[in-house]
Short mmCIF file of all heavy atoms in Angstrom, two decimals:
data_model
loop_
_atom_site.label_atom_id
_atom_site.label_comp_id
_atom_site.label_asym_id
_atom_site.label_seq_id
_atom_site.Cartn_x
_atom_site.Cartn_y
_atom_site.Cartn_z
N ALA A 1 -9.82 179.45 95.05
CA ALA A 1 -10.01 179.24 96.52
C ALA A 1 -9.38 180.42 97.43
O ALA A 1 -10.00 181.07 98.14
CB ALA A 1 -9.63 177.87 97.04
N ARG A 2 -8.08 180.53 97.18
CA ARG A 2 -7.22 181.49 97.85
C ARG A 2 -6.05 181.83 97.07
O ARG A 2 -5.67 181.00 96.18
CB ARG A 2 -6.77 180.83 99.28
CG ARG A 2 -7.75 181.00 100.35
CD ARG A 2 -7.54 180.18 101.59
NE ARG A 2 -6.20 180.58 102.14
CZ ARG A 2 -5.94 180.36 103.48
NH1 ARG A 2 -6.78 179.60 104.24
NH2 ARG A 2 -4.74 180.70 103.98
N PRO A 3 -5.37 182.89 97.22
CA PRO A 3 -4.28 183.27 96.37
C PRO A 3 -3.15 182.32 96.25
O PRO A 3 -2.62 182.09 95.17
CB PRO A 3 -3.75 184.67 96.96
CG PRO A 3 -4.95 185.27 97.61
CD PRO A 3 -5.72 183.98 98.17
N GLU A 4 -2.87 181.59 97.43
CA GLU A 4 -1.77 180.68 97.27
C GLU A 4 -2.03 179.43 96.48
O GLU A 4 -1.18 178.72 96.11
CB GLU A 4 -1.31 180.23 98.74
CG GLU A 4 -2.41 179.51 99.48
CD GLU A 4 -3.29 180.36 100.40
OE1 GLU A 4 -3.47 181.60 100.01
OE2 GLU A 4 -3.47 180.01 101.58
N SER A 5 -3.33 179.27 96.12
CA SER A 5 -3.76 178.17 95.24
C SER A 5 -2.98 178.19 93.83
O SER A 5 -2.93 177.24 93.11
CB SER A 5 -5.21 178.13 95.07
OG SER A 5 -5.93 177.93 96.36
N SER A 6 -2.66 179.43 93.48
CA SER A 6 -1.99 179.61 92.14
C SER A 6 -0.65 179.12 92.24
O SER A 6 0.06 178.97 91.20
CB SER A 6 -2.13 181.00 91.76
OG SER A 6 -1.39 181.92 92.63
N ASP A 7 -0.02 178.76 93.27
CA ASP A 7 1.31 178.26 93.43
C ASP A 7 1.24 176.74 93.18
O ASP A 7 0.78 175.92 93.90
CB ASP A 7 1.93 178.44 94.80
CG ASP A 7 3.30 177.88 94.98
OD1 ASP A 7 3.86 177.22 94.00
OD2 ASP A 7 3.97 178.04 96.08
N THR A 8 1.76 176.37 91.98
CA THR A 8 1.60 174.95 91.50
C THR A 8 2.53 174.09 92.13
O THR A 8 2.46 172.77 91.79
CB THR A 8 1.69 174.95 89.89
OG1 THR A 8 2.86 175.59 89.52
CG2 THR A 8 0.50 175.54 89.22
N LYS A 9 3.45 174.47 93.00
CA LYS A 9 4.16 173.61 93.76
C LYS A 9 3.64 173.36 95.23
O LYS A 9 4.07 172.50 95.97
CB LYS A 9 5.63 174.09 93.88
CG LYS A 9 6.41 174.23 92.53
CD LYS A 9 7.90 174.44 92.80
CE LYS A 9 8.18 175.80 93.40
NZ LYS A 9 7.84 176.86 92.38
N ALA A 10 2.62 174.21 95.65
CA ALA A 10 2.04 174.06 96.93
C ALA A 10 1.11 172.85 97.02
O ALA A 10 0.50 172.41 96.00
CB ALA A 10 1.41 175.32 97.37
N TRP A 11 0.82 172.43 98.27
CA TRP A 11 -0.02 171.22 98.36
C TRP A 11 -1.41 171.46 97.95
O TRP A 11 -2.12 170.50 97.45
CB TRP A 11 -0.08 170.84 99.89
CG TRP A 11 -0.83 171.67 100.77
CD1 TRP A 11 -0.43 172.90 101.41
CD2 TRP A 11 -2.24 171.62 101.06
NE1 TRP A 11 -1.52 173.47 102.03
CE2 TRP A 11 -2.59 172.77 101.82
CE3 TRP A 11 -3.30 170.71 100.72
CZ2 TRP A 11 -3.92 172.91 102.43
CZ3 TRP A 11 -4.51 170.95 101.16
CH2 TRP A 11 -4.84 172.10 101.99
N VAL A 12 -1.89 172.74 97.97
CA VAL A 12 -3.29 173.04 97.60
C VAL A 12 -3.46 172.60 96.18
O VAL A 12 -4.58 171.91 95.87
CB VAL A 12 -3.52 174.52 97.77
CG1 VAL A 12 -4.94 174.87 97.28
CG2 VAL A 12 -3.39 175.04 99.27
N MET A 13 -2.69 172.85 95.28
CA MET A 13 -2.71 172.39 93.89
C MET A 13 -2.12 171.11 93.77
O MET A 13 -2.55 170.33 92.82
CB MET A 13 -2.00 173.43 92.98
CG MET A 13 -2.79 174.76 92.71
SD MET A 13 -4.49 174.54 92.15
CE MET A 13 -4.23 174.08 90.37
N GLY A 14 -1.14 170.72 94.57
CA GLY A 14 -0.53 169.35 94.48
C GLY A 14 -1.53 168.22 94.58
O GLY A 14 -1.41 167.23 93.85
N VAL A 15 -2.49 168.46 95.52
CA VAL A 15 -3.44 167.42 95.65
C VAL A 15 -4.35 167.36 94.37
O VAL A 15 -4.77 166.21 93.97
CB VAL A 15 -4.33 167.64 96.92
CG1 VAL A 15 -5.50 166.60 97.09
CG2 VAL A 15 -3.50 167.50 98.15
N PHE A 16 -4.66 168.44 93.79
CA PHE A 16 -5.54 168.44 92.64
C PHE A 16 -4.78 167.67 91.50
O PHE A 16 -5.36 166.84 90.88
CB PHE A 16 -5.78 169.85 92.14
CG PHE A 16 -6.27 169.90 90.75
CD1 PHE A 16 -7.58 169.31 90.44
CD2 PHE A 16 -5.64 170.55 89.72
CE1 PHE A 16 -7.99 169.37 89.13
CE2 PHE A 16 -6.12 170.62 88.43
CZ PHE A 16 -7.32 169.99 88.19
N TYR A 17 -3.50 167.92 91.41
CA TYR A 17 -2.65 167.32 90.37
C TYR A 17 -2.58 165.79 90.55
O TYR A 17 -2.59 164.97 89.65
CB TYR A 17 -1.36 167.93 90.11
CG TYR A 17 -1.46 169.32 89.59
CD1 TYR A 17 -0.89 170.40 90.28
CD2 TYR A 17 -2.22 169.68 88.48
CE1 TYR A 17 -0.97 171.74 89.74
CE2 TYR A 17 -2.28 170.91 87.97
CZ TYR A 17 -1.68 172.04 88.62
OH TYR A 17 -1.76 173.30 88.27
N ALA A 18 -2.46 165.36 91.81
CA ALA A 18 -2.51 163.94 92.15
C ALA A 18 -3.88 163.36 91.80
O ALA A 18 -3.76 162.19 91.17
CB ALA A 18 -2.31 163.74 93.73
N GLY A 19 -4.89 163.97 91.99
CA GLY A 19 -6.21 163.44 91.60
C GLY A 19 -6.35 163.52 89.98
O GLY A 19 -6.87 162.50 89.43
N LEU A 20 -5.73 164.44 89.38
CA LEU A 20 -5.87 164.61 87.91
C LEU A 20 -5.03 163.44 87.27
O LEU A 20 -5.35 162.92 86.36
CB LEU A 20 -5.36 165.99 87.49
CG LEU A 20 -5.57 166.37 86.03
CD1 LEU A 20 -6.94 166.45 85.57
CD2 LEU A 20 -4.80 167.62 85.70
N ALA A 21 -3.89 163.34 87.91
CA ALA A 21 -2.90 162.22 87.45
C ALA A 21 -3.58 160.85 87.60
O ALA A 21 -3.55 160.03 86.68
CB ALA A 21 -1.58 162.19 88.10
N ALA A 22 -4.21 160.56 88.67
CA ALA A 22 -4.89 159.26 88.89
C ALA A 22 -6.05 159.08 87.84
O ALA A 22 -6.18 158.05 87.25
CB ALA A 22 -5.47 159.20 90.33
N TYR A 23 -6.82 160.20 87.56
CA TYR A 23 -7.97 159.98 86.66
C TYR A 23 -7.33 159.88 85.19
O TYR A 23 -7.83 159.10 84.49
CB TYR A 23 -8.71 161.37 86.68
CG TYR A 23 -9.89 161.46 85.60
CD1 TYR A 23 -10.69 160.40 85.53
CD2 TYR A 23 -9.97 162.61 84.83
CE1 TYR A 23 -11.71 160.47 84.53
CE2 TYR A 23 -11.05 162.58 83.94
CZ TYR A 23 -11.85 161.55 83.80
OH TYR A 23 -12.85 161.59 82.67
N ASP A 24 -6.27 160.61 84.91
CA ASP A 24 -5.72 160.53 83.51
C ASP A 24 -5.25 158.98 83.36
O ASP A 24 -5.30 158.46 82.29
CB ASP A 24 -4.58 161.44 83.40
CG ASP A 24 -4.09 161.54 81.84
OD1 ASP A 24 -4.80 162.20 81.07
OD2 ASP A 24 -3.12 160.87 81.54
N LYS A 25 -4.58 158.36 84.38
CA LYS A 25 -4.06 157.08 84.32
C LYS A 25 -5.21 156.06 83.96
O LYS A 25 -4.85 154.93 83.43
CB LYS A 25 -3.25 156.75 85.54
CG LYS A 25 -2.02 157.36 85.61
CD LYS A 25 -1.23 157.28 86.89
CE LYS A 25 -0.87 155.81 87.22
NZ LYS A 25 -0.23 155.77 88.47
N THR A 26 -6.46 156.28 84.23
CA THR A 26 -7.49 155.33 83.91
C THR A 26 -7.73 155.23 82.49
O THR A 26 -8.18 154.21 81.91
CB THR A 26 -8.79 155.80 84.53
OG1 THR A 26 -9.32 156.91 83.95
CG2 THR A 26 -8.69 155.97 86.11
N GLY A 27 -7.29 156.22 81.73
CA GLY A 27 -7.54 156.26 80.22
C GLY A 27 -8.95 156.52 79.87
O GLY A 27 -9.22 156.59 78.63
N ALA A 28 -9.83 156.78 80.79
CA ALA A 28 -11.23 156.97 80.45
C ALA A 28 -11.47 158.25 79.63
O ALA A 28 -12.41 158.31 78.84
CB ALA A 28 -12.08 157.07 81.72
N ASP A 29 -10.63 159.18 79.76
CA ASP A 29 -10.65 160.49 79.10
C ASP A 29 -9.81 160.56 77.92
O ASP A 29 -9.55 161.69 77.29
CB ASP A 29 -10.38 161.59 79.93
CG ASP A 29 -9.06 161.64 80.47
OD1 ASP A 29 -8.30 160.53 80.42
OD2 ASP A 29 -8.59 162.70 81.01
N GLY A 30 -9.15 159.40 77.48
CA GLY A 30 -8.15 159.41 76.35
C GLY A 30 -6.97 160.07 76.74
O GLY A 30 -6.14 160.49 75.83
N HIS A 31 -6.57 160.10 78.05
CA HIS A 31 -5.35 160.79 78.53
C HIS A 31 -5.26 162.23 78.03
O HIS A 31 -4.07 162.67 77.83
CB HIS A 31 -4.09 159.95 78.07
CG HIS A 31 -4.14 158.45 78.44
ND1 HIS A 31 -4.13 158.11 79.77
CD2 HIS A 31 -4.35 157.35 77.64
CE1 HIS A 31 -4.31 156.78 79.67
NE2 HIS A 31 -4.34 156.35 78.52
N ARG A 32 -6.34 162.88 78.00
CA ARG A 32 -6.27 164.28 77.53
C ARG A 32 -5.71 165.20 78.51
O ARG A 32 -5.23 166.37 78.16
CB ARG A 32 -7.66 164.77 77.04
CG ARG A 32 -8.62 165.16 78.03
CD ARG A 32 -9.94 165.67 77.43
NE ARG A 32 -10.84 166.22 78.39
CZ ARG A 32 -10.89 167.48 78.70
NH1 ARG A 32 -10.02 168.36 78.20
NH2 ARG A 32 -11.95 167.95 79.56
N PHE A 33 -5.48 164.81 79.74
CA PHE A 33 -4.96 165.77 80.77
C PHE A 33 -3.42 165.46 80.99
O PHE A 33 -2.84 166.17 81.80
CB PHE A 33 -5.68 165.56 82.04
CG PHE A 33 -7.07 166.14 82.13
CD1 PHE A 33 -8.16 165.20 82.08
CD2 PHE A 33 -7.27 167.44 81.91
CE1 PHE A 33 -9.50 165.73 82.07
CE2 PHE A 33 -8.63 167.99 81.78
CZ PHE A 33 -9.72 167.13 81.84
N LEU A 34 -2.83 164.51 80.44
CA LEU A 34 -1.41 164.27 80.53
C LEU A 34 -0.62 165.54 80.12
O LEU A 34 0.28 165.90 80.80
CB LEU A 34 -0.92 163.03 79.84
CG LEU A 34 0.47 162.73 79.93
CD1 LEU A 34 0.94 162.43 81.30
CD2 LEU A 34 0.87 161.44 79.04
N PRO A 35 -0.95 166.24 78.99
CA PRO A 35 -0.25 167.34 78.53
C PRO A 35 -0.31 168.47 79.58
O PRO A 35 0.67 169.25 79.88
CB PRO A 35 -0.90 167.81 77.23
CG PRO A 35 -1.42 166.48 76.67
CD PRO A 35 -1.87 165.68 77.90
N GLU A 36 -1.42 168.56 80.35
CA GLU A 36 -1.45 169.62 81.45
C GLU A 36 -0.56 169.35 82.49
O GLU A 36 0.08 170.17 83.04
CB GLU A 36 -2.91 169.73 81.91
CG GLU A 36 -3.20 170.61 83.02
CD GLU A 36 -3.04 172.05 82.69
OE1 GLU A 36 -3.15 172.43 81.51
OE2 GLU A 36 -2.83 172.88 83.60
N LEU A 37 -0.48 168.03 82.88
CA LEU A 37 0.51 167.63 83.93
C LEU A 37 1.89 167.84 83.57
O LEU A 37 2.68 168.40 84.35
CB LEU A 37 0.25 166.22 84.28
CG LEU A 37 -1.14 165.90 84.98
CD1 LEU A 37 -1.45 164.44 84.83
CD2 LEU A 37 -1.08 166.33 86.45
N ILE A 38 2.26 167.57 82.35
CA ILE A 38 3.60 167.75 81.82
C ILE A 38 3.85 169.35 81.79
O ILE A 38 4.95 169.80 82.15
CB ILE A 38 3.71 167.23 80.41
CG1 ILE A 38 3.78 165.62 80.55
CG2 ILE A 38 5.14 167.62 79.88
CD1 ILE A 38 3.85 164.95 79.23
#
């Protein structure tokens, strides 16, 4: 989207990781994204 999106502490990516964490917590994907979050 924009260069600052690569900053993984910024809100732009932070909201993505919040959504990714919520999706991973459902277990529907076998928790395959937990390693990415870690």
Side-chain angles (χ1 to χ4, degrees):
R2 279 169 57 161
E4 60 265 40
S5 300
S6 60
D7 180 356
T8 51
K9 293 192 294 293
W11 74 271
V12 177
M13 290 300 291
V15 176
F16 168 64
Y17 294 127
L20 187 66
Y23 176 50
D24 189 78
K25 285 168 69 174
T26 68
D29 64 345
H31 305 295
R32 79 178 184 91
F33 291 111
L34 181 60
E36 176 68 21
L37 292 163
I38 293 174

